[in-house]
Amino acid sequence: MNSFSYLRVNSTREALNAVAADSGASFIAGGTNLIDLWKYDLSHPDLLIDLNQVDDLKALKSTGTGGVRLGALLSNADTAYHPVIESRYPLLSKAILAGASAQIRNMATNGGNLLQRTRCYYFYDANSPCNKRSPGSGCSALKGYNRIHAILGASEECIAVFPSDMCVGLAALGAVINIVGPNGDRRIPFADFHRLPGDRPDIDNTLKKGELITSIDLPAKGFEKNYSYLKLRDRHSYAFALVSVATGLELEGEIIKDARIALGGVSHKPWRVPEAEDLLRGKAVTPENFAQAADLILQGAKGYKYNQFKIELAKRAIVRNCMMALDPSTQRPGAQPSL
Ligand code: SF4
């Protein structure tokens, strides 16, 4: 029996005061990951601070610099189907809709999506050593069944991957996260929010204790003409990515003016290599050039017993997705790329 207290707050100030006053407190919004973690005894808050009445966090508005600010409490579904997101940031809409199920997307919030934890099976199994769950206990996945695990940025302490699709789209777009906390407001570029496991795999991101995500800023450039999100998984729906790729291209005729490529399902954070995007600028849109970029993105990739296949899969997925981005009609449900 887990006993806990519950507090409903109406403002971010009230939320910050409440969390500062109780070291065992946890914020709850959609609860789609927190309740799972609680059931598996991976989280046991003694105070739940319910944010759902904080209306300020539910807005979708202009950033004032040409971009769009997504409230942290907007649901994933409301974000994906919002006309502004569908028209200006279809890459993000597509990435969100590739994740979870319709029911979960209706409940899950944008802030919560960023904070979800890995789906490594050993993390959820109290009988298996896991450095993320119990630091210093070991990593069962290293020599265990590691089909869904990392090929990039892993450490000997942890080879888990971050499971979000939405965040792969946000990484490609170059979003910025707005945070409030006891020491004031701060903004974190998306690439700096999630962290690699290193020797502290128990820490997933750079959010500090007592801080709250209030919104996510999308930059003005949305790559709405040439984009694609490709998710490769064991089951067509309601499954996490083995490899996913978000691509945004800005073209001048057949020449690449700007490119963004982010990978999901391969690392402890969405994986983006700016040097690969630099390499594509000024080049023609050919499979050979995209393959060169893929080689750079996958430089240093290392597979384990059951996931070696992901390295070649990721390379092919990058090339295929970049070619699909040339013709966004391939993004219609059921459409097949003509490659
Ligand atoms: Fe735990 Fe990470 Fe190893 Fe999975 S990969 S068992 S989460 S330490």
Side-chain angles (χ1 to χ4, degrees), residues 227-232 245 247 249 286-287 290-291 294 313-327 330-331 335-339:
Y227 67 90
S228 181
Y229 188 74
L230 178 64
K231 180 175 182 178
L232 303 174
V245 190
T247 300
L249 298 174
T286 64
F290 292 132
L313 184 69
K315 178 170 179 178
R316 293 181 187 210
I318 293 167
V319 176
R320 177 175 167 183
N321 197 48
C322 288
M323 294 303 287
M324 287 169 72
L326 303 180
D327 177 8
T330 58
Q331 299 298 296
Q336 294 296 320
S338 53
L339 299 176

PDB file of all heavy atoms in Angstrom, residues 227-232 245 247 249 286-287 290-291 294 313-327 330-331 335-339:
ATOM      1  N   TYR A 227       9.972  17.392 -45.565  1.00  0.00           N
ATOM      2  CA  TYR A 227      10.171  16.778 -44.252  1.00  0.00           C
ATOM      3  C   TYR A 227       9.757  15.307 -44.322  1.00  0.00           C
ATOM      4  O   TYR A 227       9.021  14.894 -45.238  1.00  0.00           O
ATOM      5  CB  TYR A 227       9.302  17.487 -43.200  1.00  0.00           C
ATOM      6  CG  TYR A 227       7.836  17.261 -43.452  1.00  0.00           C
ATOM      7  CD1 TYR A 227       7.168  16.175 -42.886  1.00  0.00           C
ATOM      8  CD2 TYR A 227       7.122  18.071 -44.331  1.00  0.00           C
ATOM      9  CE1 TYR A 227       5.835  15.933 -43.170  1.00  0.00           C
ATOM     10  CE2 TYR A 227       5.805  17.834 -44.622  1.00  0.00           C
ATOM     11  CZ  TYR A 227       5.158  16.765 -44.040  1.00  0.00           C
ATOM     12  OH  TYR A 227       3.863  16.509 -44.336  1.00  0.00           O
ATOM     13  N   SER A 228      10.225  14.540 -43.376  1.00  0.00           N
ATOM     14  CA  SER A 228       9.741  13.153 -43.263  1.00  0.00           C
ATOM     15  C   SER A 228      10.104  12.604 -41.898  1.00  0.00           C
ATOM     16  O   SER A 228      11.149  12.942 -41.333  1.00  0.00           O
ATOM     17  CB  SER A 228      10.368  12.278 -44.358  1.00  0.00           C
ATOM     18  OG  SER A 228       9.877  10.954 -44.248  1.00  0.00           O
ATOM     19  N   TYR A 229       9.221  11.783 -41.357  1.00  0.00           N
ATOM     20  CA  TYR A 229       9.527  11.046 -40.123  1.00  0.00           C
ATOM     21  C   TYR A 229       9.304   9.566 -40.408  1.00  0.00           C
ATOM     22  O   TYR A 229       8.219   9.155 -40.807  1.00  0.00           O
ATOM     23  CB  TYR A 229       8.629  11.500 -38.961  1.00  0.00           C
ATOM     24  CG  TYR A 229       9.072  10.877 -37.650  1.00  0.00           C
ATOM     25  CD1 TYR A 229      10.218  11.333 -37.000  1.00  0.00           C
ATOM     26  CD2 TYR A 229       8.377   9.821 -37.068  1.00  0.00           C
ATOM     27  CE1 TYR A 229      10.656  10.758 -35.824  1.00  0.00           C
ATOM     28  CE2 TYR A 229       8.806   9.246 -35.883  1.00  0.00           C
ATOM     29  CZ  TYR A 229       9.946   9.722 -35.267  1.00  0.00           C
ATOM     30  OH  TYR A 229      10.390   9.146 -34.090  1.00  0.00           O
ATOM     31  N   LEU A 230      10.332   8.790 -40.213  1.00  0.00           N
ATOM     32  CA  LEU A 230      10.269   7.346 -40.490  1.00  0.00           C
ATOM     33  C   LEU A 230      10.550   6.606 -39.200  1.00  0.00           C
ATOM     34  O   LEU A 230      11.581   6.845 -38.553  1.00  0.00           O
ATOM     35  CB  LEU A 230      11.330   6.982 -41.547  1.00  0.00           C
ATOM     36  CG  LEU A 230      11.438   5.502 -41.927  1.00  0.00           C
ATOM     37  CD1 LEU A 230      10.159   4.994 -42.580  1.00  0.00           C
ATOM     38  CD2 LEU A 230      12.629   5.307 -42.887  1.00  0.00           C
ATOM     39  N   LYS A 231       9.638   5.717 -38.838  1.00  0.00           N
ATOM     40  CA  LYS A 231       9.809   4.938 -37.602  1.00  0.00           C
ATOM     41  C   LYS A 231       9.801   3.452 -37.953  1.00  0.00           C
ATOM     42  O   LYS A 231       8.818   2.957 -38.510  1.00  0.00           O
ATOM     43  CB  LYS A 231       8.675   5.268 -36.627  1.00  0.00           C
ATOM     44  CG  LYS A 231       8.767   4.501 -35.307  1.00  0.00           C
ATOM     45  CD  LYS A 231       7.686   4.953 -34.341  1.00  0.00           C
ATOM     46  CE  LYS A 231       7.792   4.242 -33.006  1.00  0.00           C
ATOM     47  NZ  LYS A 231       6.784   4.684 -32.041  1.00  0.00           N
ATOM     48  N   LEU A 232      10.881   2.775 -37.621  1.00  0.00           N
ATOM     49  CA  LEU A 232      10.993   1.345 -37.898  1.00  0.00           C
ATOM     50  C   LEU A 232      10.904   0.602 -36.564  1.00  0.00           C
ATOM     51  O   LEU A 232      11.637   0.923 -35.624  1.00  0.00           O
ATOM     52  CB  LEU A 232      12.324   1.041 -38.592  1.00  0.00           C
ATOM     53  CG  LEU A 232      12.530   1.821 -39.896  1.00  0.00           C
ATOM     54  CD1 LEU A 232      13.936   1.588 -40.442  1.00  0.00           C
ATOM     55  CD2 LEU A 232      11.485   1.428 -40.933  1.00  0.00           C
ATOM     56  N   VAL A 245      13.870   8.226 -37.696  1.00  0.00           N
ATOM     57  CA  VAL A 245      14.616   9.347 -38.291  1.00  0.00           C
ATOM     58  C   VAL A 245      13.659  10.505 -38.567  1.00  0.00           C
ATOM     59  O   VAL A 245      12.607  10.298 -39.179  1.00  0.00           O
ATOM     60  CB  VAL A 245      15.291   8.955 -39.630  1.00  0.00           C
ATOM     61  CG1 VAL A 245      16.244  10.061 -40.088  1.00  0.00           C
ATOM     62  CG2 VAL A 245      16.010   7.631 -39.540  1.00  0.00           C
ATOM     63  N   THR A 247      13.695  14.072 -40.569  1.00  0.00           N
ATOM     64  CA  THR A 247      14.474  14.852 -41.539  1.00  0.00           C
ATOM     65  C   THR A 247      13.701  16.103 -41.946  1.00  0.00           C
ATOM     66  O   THR A 247      12.506  16.021 -42.253  1.00  0.00           O
ATOM     67  CB  THR A 247      14.755  14.021 -42.814  1.00  0.00           C
ATOM     68  OG1 THR A 247      15.482  12.857 -42.470  1.00  0.00           O
ATOM     69  CG2 THR A 247      15.546  14.822 -43.839  1.00  0.00           C
ATOM     70  N   LEU A 249      14.401  19.330 -44.706  1.00  0.00           N
ATOM     71  CA  LEU A 249      15.307  19.848 -45.725  1.00  0.00           C
ATOM     72  C   LEU A 249      14.793  21.192 -46.237  1.00  0.00           C
ATOM     73  O   LEU A 249      13.580  21.381 -46.397  1.00  0.00           O
ATOM     74  CB  LEU A 249      15.408  18.886 -46.917  1.00  0.00           C
ATOM     75  CG  LEU A 249      15.966  17.477 -46.655  1.00  0.00           C
ATOM     76  CD1 LEU A 249      15.850  16.633 -47.918  1.00  0.00           C
ATOM     77  CD2 LEU A 249      17.408  17.542 -46.174  1.00  0.00           C
ATOM     78  N   THR A 286      21.068  13.610 -53.516  1.00  0.00           N
ATOM     79  CA  THR A 286      21.284  12.266 -54.068  1.00  0.00           C
ATOM     80  C   THR A 286      21.414  11.265 -52.925  1.00  0.00           C
ATOM     81  O   THR A 286      21.869  11.619 -51.831  1.00  0.00           O
ATOM     82  CB  THR A 286      22.581  12.213 -54.897  1.00  0.00           C
ATOM     83  OG1 THR A 286      23.694  12.459 -54.013  1.00  0.00           O
ATOM     84  CG2 THR A 286      22.583  13.242 -56.017  1.00  0.00           C
ATOM     85  N   PRO A 287      21.050  10.008 -53.175  1.00  0.00           N
ATOM     86  CA  PRO A 287      21.217   8.982 -52.140  1.00  0.00           C
ATOM     87  C   PRO A 287      22.676   8.883 -51.695  1.00  0.00           C
ATOM     88  O   PRO A 287      22.950   8.628 -50.522  1.00  0.00           O
ATOM     89  CB  PRO A 287      20.768   7.688 -52.837  1.00  0.00           C
ATOM     90  CG  PRO A 287      19.895   8.118 -53.968  1.00  0.00           C
ATOM     91  CD  PRO A 287      20.396   9.473 -54.392  1.00  0.00           C
ATOM     92  N   PHE A 290      23.358  11.592 -49.131  1.00  0.00           N
ATOM     93  CA  PHE A 290      22.691  11.268 -47.859  1.00  0.00           C
ATOM     94  C   PHE A 290      23.407  10.101 -47.167  1.00  0.00           C
ATOM     95  O   PHE A 290      23.483  10.057 -45.936  1.00  0.00           O
ATOM     96  CB  PHE A 290      21.215  10.940 -48.097  1.00  0.00           C
ATOM     97  CG  PHE A 290      20.401  12.123 -48.543  1.00  0.00           C
ATOM     98  CD1 PHE A 290      19.525  12.048 -49.629  1.00  0.00           C
ATOM     99  CD2 PHE A 290      20.500  13.345 -47.865  1.00  0.00           C
ATOM    100  CE1 PHE A 290      18.783  13.145 -50.024  1.00  0.00           C
ATOM    101  CE2 PHE A 290      19.752  14.452 -48.256  1.00  0.00           C
ATOM    102  CZ  PHE A 290      18.894  14.352 -49.342  1.00  0.00           C
ATOM    103  N   ALA A 291      23.947   9.176 -47.972  1.00  0.00           N
ATOM    104  CA  ALA A 291      24.682   8.048 -47.371  1.00  0.00           C
ATOM    105  C   ALA A 291      25.961   8.546 -46.701  1.00  0.00           C
ATOM    106  O   ALA A 291      26.355   8.043 -45.630  1.00  0.00           O
ATOM    107  CB  ALA A 291      25.007   7.001 -48.439  1.00  0.00           C
ATOM    108  N   ALA A 294      24.940   9.940 -43.514  1.00  0.00           N
ATOM    109  CA  ALA A 294      24.592   8.830 -42.597  1.00  0.00           C
ATOM    110  C   ALA A 294      25.849   8.241 -41.979  1.00  0.00           C
ATOM    111  O   ALA A 294      25.883   7.929 -40.780  1.00  0.00           O
ATOM    112  CB  ALA A 294      23.801   7.765 -43.344  1.00  0.00           C
ATOM    113  N   LEU A 313      20.658  -0.792 -40.314  1.00  0.00           N
ATOM    114  CA  LEU A 313      19.255  -0.340 -40.403  1.00  0.00           C
ATOM    115  C   LEU A 313      19.187   1.187 -40.314  1.00  0.00           C
ATOM    116  O   LEU A 313      18.461   1.837 -41.078  1.00  0.00           O
ATOM    117  CB  LEU A 313      18.436  -0.973 -39.270  1.00  0.00           C
ATOM    118  CG  LEU A 313      16.938  -0.679 -39.280  1.00  0.00           C
ATOM    119  CD1 LEU A 313      16.256  -1.381 -40.456  1.00  0.00           C
ATOM    120  CD2 LEU A 313      16.281  -1.138 -37.967  1.00  0.00           C
ATOM    121  N   ALA A 314      19.960   1.753 -39.400  1.00  0.00           N
ATOM    122  CA  ALA A 314      19.942   3.208 -39.221  1.00  0.00           C
ATOM    123  C   ALA A 314      20.470   3.902 -40.476  1.00  0.00           C
ATOM    124  O   ALA A 314      19.928   4.908 -40.929  1.00  0.00           O
ATOM    125  CB  ALA A 314      20.770   3.602 -38.001  1.00  0.00           C
ATOM    126  N   LYS A 315      21.530   3.339 -41.054  1.00  0.00           N
ATOM    127  CA  LYS A 315      22.094   3.965 -42.256  1.00  0.00           C
ATOM    128  C   LYS A 315      21.042   3.980 -43.380  1.00  0.00           C
ATOM    129  O   LYS A 315      20.800   5.009 -44.020  1.00  0.00           O
ATOM    130  CB  LYS A 315      23.350   3.218 -42.709  1.00  0.00           C
ATOM    131  CG  LYS A 315      23.930   3.801 -43.964  1.00  0.00           C
ATOM    132  CD  LYS A 315      25.283   3.274 -44.319  1.00  0.00           C
ATOM    133  CE  LYS A 315      25.738   3.933 -45.621  1.00  0.00           C
ATOM    134  NZ  LYS A 315      27.057   3.523 -46.043  1.00  0.00           N
ATOM    135  N   ARG A 316      20.420   2.831 -43.581  1.00  0.00           N
ATOM    136  CA  ARG A 316      19.405   2.764 -44.652  1.00  0.00           C
ATOM    137  C   ARG A 316      18.213   3.661 -44.340  1.00  0.00           C
ATOM    138  O   ARG A 316      17.618   4.266 -45.233  1.00  0.00           O
ATOM    139  CB  ARG A 316      18.944   1.316 -44.824  1.00  0.00           C
ATOM    140  CG  ARG A 316      20.044   0.422 -45.364  1.00  0.00           C
ATOM    141  CD  ARG A 316      19.547  -0.972 -45.552  1.00  0.00           C
ATOM    142  NE  ARG A 316      20.633  -1.873 -45.911  1.00  0.00           N
ATOM    143  CZ  ARG A 316      20.474  -2.945 -46.662  1.00  0.00           C
ATOM    144  NH1 ARG A 316      19.291  -3.260 -47.132  1.00  0.00           N
ATOM    145  NH2 ARG A 316      21.495  -3.716 -46.933  1.00  0.00           N
ATOM    146  N   ALA A 317      17.849   3.714 -43.058  1.00  0.00           N
ATOM    147  CA  ALA A 317      16.694   4.545 -42.677  1.00  0.00           C
ATOM    148  C   ALA A 317      16.975   6.020 -42.937  1.00  0.00           C
ATOM    149  O   ALA A 317      16.094   6.763 -43.383  1.00  0.00           O
ATOM    150  CB  ALA A 317      16.352   4.315 -41.208  1.00  0.00           C
ATOM    151  N   ILE A 318      18.202   6.458 -42.659  1.00  0.00           N
ATOM    152  CA  ILE A 318      18.549   7.867 -42.899  1.00  0.00           C
ATOM    153  C   ILE A 318      18.432   8.187 -44.387  1.00  0.00           C
ATOM    154  O   ILE A 318      17.796   9.180 -44.789  1.00  0.00           O
ATOM    155  CB  ILE A 318      19.978   8.175 -42.382  1.00  0.00           C
ATOM    156  CG1 ILE A 318      20.033   8.074 -40.859  1.00  0.00           C
ATOM    157  CG2 ILE A 318      20.427   9.564 -42.846  1.00  0.00           C
ATOM    158  CD1 ILE A 318      21.451   8.040 -40.286  1.00  0.00           C
ATOM    159  N   VAL A 319      19.030   7.349 -45.221  1.00  0.00           N
ATOM    160  CA  VAL A 319      19.006   7.619 -46.669  1.00  0.00           C
ATOM    161  C   VAL A 319      17.572   7.595 -47.186  1.00  0.00           C
ATOM    162  O   VAL A 319      17.126   8.497 -47.901  1.00  0.00           O
ATOM    163  CB  VAL A 319      19.880   6.589 -47.432  1.00  0.00           C
ATOM    164  CG1 VAL A 319      19.773   6.810 -48.941  1.00  0.00           C
ATOM    165  CG2 VAL A 319      21.333   6.680 -46.970  1.00  0.00           C
ATOM    166  N   ARG A 320      16.827   6.583 -46.756  1.00  0.00           N
ATOM    167  CA  ARG A 320      15.444   6.457 -47.228  1.00  0.00           C
ATOM    168  C   ARG A 320      14.603   7.653 -46.771  1.00  0.00           C
ATOM    169  O   ARG A 320      13.825   8.218 -47.540  1.00  0.00           O
ATOM    170  CB  ARG A 320      14.837   5.152 -46.695  1.00  0.00           C
ATOM    171  CG  ARG A 320      13.390   4.988 -47.081  1.00  0.00           C
ATOM    172  CD  ARG A 320      12.846   3.648 -46.654  1.00  0.00           C
ATOM    173  NE  ARG A 320      11.396   3.644 -46.757  1.00  0.00           N
ATOM    174  CZ  ARG A 320      10.642   2.633 -46.406  1.00  0.00           C
ATOM    175  NH1 ARG A 320      11.189   1.525 -45.948  1.00  0.00           N
ATOM    176  NH2 ARG A 320       9.336   2.688 -46.515  1.00  0.00           N
ATOM    177  N   ASN A 321      14.794   8.039 -45.519  1.00  0.00           N
ATOM    178  CA  ASN A 321      13.965   9.131 -45.000  1.00  0.00           C
ATOM    179  C   ASN A 321      14.302  10.457 -45.674  1.00  0.00           C
ATOM    180  O   ASN A 321      13.415  11.272 -45.935  1.00  0.00           O
ATOM    181  CB  ASN A 321      14.127   9.244 -43.487  1.00  0.00           C
ATOM    182  CG  ASN A 321      13.017  10.049 -42.870  1.00  0.00           C
ATOM    183  OD1 ASN A 321      11.851   9.808 -43.161  1.00  0.00           O
ATOM    184  ND2 ASN A 321      13.356  11.025 -42.053  1.00  0.00           N
ATOM    185  N   CYS A 322      15.588  10.682 -45.956  1.00  0.00           N
ATOM    186  CA  CYS A 322      15.961  11.923 -46.646  1.00  0.00           C
ATOM    187  C   CYS A 322      15.364  11.937 -48.057  1.00  0.00           C
ATOM    188  O   CYS A 322      14.905  12.992 -48.528  1.00  0.00           O
ATOM    189  CB  CYS A 322      17.488  12.051 -46.713  1.00  0.00           C
ATOM    190  SG  CYS A 322      18.237  12.422 -45.121  1.00  0.00           S
ATOM    191  N   MET A 323      15.334  10.800 -48.718  1.00  0.00           N
ATOM    192  CA  MET A 323      14.725  10.747 -50.051  1.00  0.00           C
ATOM    193  C   MET A 323      13.207  10.964 -49.951  1.00  0.00           C
ATOM    194  O   MET A 323      12.607  11.625 -50.796  1.00  0.00           O
ATOM    195  CB  MET A 323      15.040   9.409 -50.731  1.00  0.00           C
ATOM    196  CG  MET A 323      16.516   9.200 -51.054  1.00  0.00           C
ATOM    197  SD  MET A 323      17.243  10.502 -52.097  1.00  0.00           S
ATOM    198  CE  MET A 323      16.504  10.141 -53.684  1.00  0.00           C
ATOM    199  N   MET A 324      12.610  10.407 -48.903  1.00  0.00           N
ATOM    200  CA  MET A 324      11.164  10.614 -48.708  1.00  0.00           C
ATOM    201  C   MET A 324      10.847  12.085 -48.459  1.00  0.00           C
ATOM    202  O   MET A 324       9.791  12.582 -48.845  1.00  0.00           O
ATOM    203  CB  MET A 324      10.664   9.770 -47.528  1.00  0.00           C
ATOM    204  CG  MET A 324      10.582   8.281 -47.844  1.00  0.00           C
ATOM    205  SD  MET A 324      10.310   7.263 -46.371  1.00  0.00           S
ATOM    206  CE  MET A 324       8.610   7.630 -45.990  1.00  0.00           C
ATOM    207  N   ALA A 325      11.769  12.792 -47.820  1.00  0.00           N
ATOM    208  CA  ALA A 325      11.538  14.203 -47.515  1.00  0.00           C
ATOM    209  C   ALA A 325      11.459  15.053 -48.784  1.00  0.00           C
ATOM    210  O   ALA A 325      10.931  16.165 -48.758  1.00  0.00           O
ATOM    211  CB  ALA A 325      12.649  14.727 -46.600  1.00  0.00           C
ATOM    212  N   LEU A 326      11.996  14.535 -49.879  1.00  0.00           N
ATOM    213  CA  LEU A 326      11.931  15.285 -51.141  1.00  0.00           C
ATOM    214  C   LEU A 326      10.497  15.367 -51.654  1.00  0.00           C
ATOM    215  O   LEU A 326      10.159  16.254 -52.426  1.00  0.00           O
ATOM    216  CB  LEU A 326      12.818  14.621 -52.204  1.00  0.00           C
ATOM    217  CG  LEU A 326      14.291  14.453 -51.822  1.00  0.00           C
ATOM    218  CD1 LEU A 326      15.051  13.779 -52.948  1.00  0.00           C
ATOM    219  CD2 LEU A 326      14.913  15.802 -51.469  1.00  0.00           C
ATOM    220  N   ASP A 327       9.677  14.411 -51.221  1.00  0.00           N
ATOM    221  CA  ASP A 327       8.299  14.355 -51.692  1.00  0.00           C
ATOM    222  C   ASP A 327       7.385  14.097 -50.500  1.00  0.00           C
ATOM    223  O   ASP A 327       7.090  12.947 -50.169  1.00  0.00           O
ATOM    224  CB  ASP A 327       8.148  13.229 -52.720  1.00  0.00           C
ATOM    225  CG  ASP A 327       6.704  13.089 -53.173  1.00  0.00           C
ATOM    226  OD1 ASP A 327       5.863  13.949 -52.820  1.00  0.00           O
ATOM    227  OD2 ASP A 327       6.410  12.094 -53.872  1.00  0.00           O
ATOM    228  N   THR A 330       4.703  11.394 -49.617  1.00  0.00           N
ATOM    229  CA  THR A 330       4.973  10.072 -49.041  1.00  0.00           C
ATOM    230  C   THR A 330       4.577  10.029 -47.578  1.00  0.00           C
ATOM    231  O   THR A 330       4.568   8.965 -46.971  1.00  0.00           O
ATOM    232  CB  THR A 330       6.474   9.724 -49.130  1.00  0.00           C
ATOM    233  OG1 THR A 330       7.221  10.732 -48.439  1.00  0.00           O
ATOM    234  CG2 THR A 330       6.951   9.621 -50.561  1.00  0.00           C
ATOM    235  N   GLN A 331       4.260  11.186 -46.990  1.00  0.00           N
ATOM    236  CA  GLN A 331       3.904  11.226 -45.573  1.00  0.00           C
ATOM    237  C   GLN A 331       2.421  10.980 -45.334  1.00  0.00           C
ATOM    238  O   GLN A 331       1.972  10.910 -44.206  1.00  0.00           O
ATOM    239  CB  GLN A 331       4.294  12.583 -44.978  1.00  0.00           C
ATOM    240  CG  GLN A 331       5.779  12.855 -45.063  1.00  0.00           C
ATOM    241  CD  GLN A 331       6.576  11.844 -44.270  1.00  0.00           C
ATOM    242  OE1 GLN A 331       6.468  11.755 -43.061  1.00  0.00           O
ATOM    243  NE2 GLN A 331       7.365  11.037 -44.972  1.00  0.00           N
ATOM    244  N   ALA A 335       0.921   5.902 -47.685  1.00  0.00           N
ATOM    245  CA  ALA A 335       1.689   6.189 -48.897  1.00  0.00           C
ATOM    246  C   ALA A 335       3.034   5.459 -48.865  1.00  0.00           C
ATOM    247  O   ALA A 335       3.636   5.324 -47.808  1.00  0.00           O
ATOM    248  CB  ALA A 335       1.911   7.686 -49.029  1.00  0.00           C
ATOM    249  N   GLN A 336       3.491   5.013 -49.987  1.00  0.00           N
ATOM    250  CA  GLN A 336       4.778   4.336 -50.087  1.00  0.00           C
ATOM    251  C   GLN A 336       5.737   5.217 -50.872  1.00  0.00           C
ATOM    252  O   GLN A 336       5.361   5.800 -51.887  1.00  0.00           O
ATOM    253  CB  GLN A 336       4.636   2.996 -50.833  1.00  0.00           C
ATOM    254  CG  GLN A 336       3.809   1.966 -50.081  1.00  0.00           C
ATOM    255  CD  GLN A 336       4.480   1.560 -48.764  1.00  0.00           C
ATOM    256  OE1 GLN A 336       5.682   1.396 -48.713  1.00  0.00           O
ATOM    257  NE2 GLN A 336       3.681   1.440 -47.716  1.00  0.00           N
ATOM    258  N   PRO A 337       6.988   5.325 -50.443  1.00  0.00           N
ATOM    259  CA  PRO A 337       7.937   6.126 -51.209  1.00  0.00           C
ATOM    260  C   PRO A 337       8.298   5.437 -52.515  1.00  0.00           C
ATOM    261  O   PRO A 337       8.354   4.215 -52.579  1.00  0.00           O
ATOM    262  CB  PRO A 337       9.158   6.172 -50.282  1.00  0.00           C
ATOM    263  CG  PRO A 337       9.037   4.948 -49.437  1.00  0.00           C
ATOM    264  CD  PRO A 337       7.579   4.704 -49.279  1.00  0.00           C
ATOM    265  N   SER A 338       8.482   6.226 -53.566  1.00  0.00           N
ATOM    266  CA  SER A 338       8.881   5.627 -54.848  1.00  0.00           C
ATOM    267  C   SER A 338      10.393   5.657 -54.950  1.00  0.00           C
ATOM    268  O   SER A 338      10.957   6.550 -55.551  1.00  0.00           O
ATOM    269  CB  SER A 338       8.228   6.400 -55.997  1.00  0.00           C
ATOM    270  OG  SER A 338       8.531   7.772 -55.851  1.00  0.00           O
ATOM    271  N   LEU A 339      11.056   4.732 -54.286  1.00  0.00           N
ATOM    272  CA  LEU A 339      12.518   4.694 -54.301  1.00  0.00           C
ATOM    273  C   LEU A 339      13.011   3.528 -55.131  1.00  0.00           C
ATOM    274  O   LEU A 339      12.406   2.499 -55.167  1.00  0.00           O
ATOM    275  CB  LEU A 339      13.050   4.554 -52.872  1.00  0.00           C
ATOM    276  CG  LEU A 339      12.680   5.703 -51.921  1.00  0.00           C
ATOM    277  CD1 LEU A 339      13.190   5.393 -50.528  1.00  0.00           C
ATOM    278  CD2 LEU A 339      13.282   7.011 -52.399  1.00  0.00           C
TER     279      LEU A 339
END
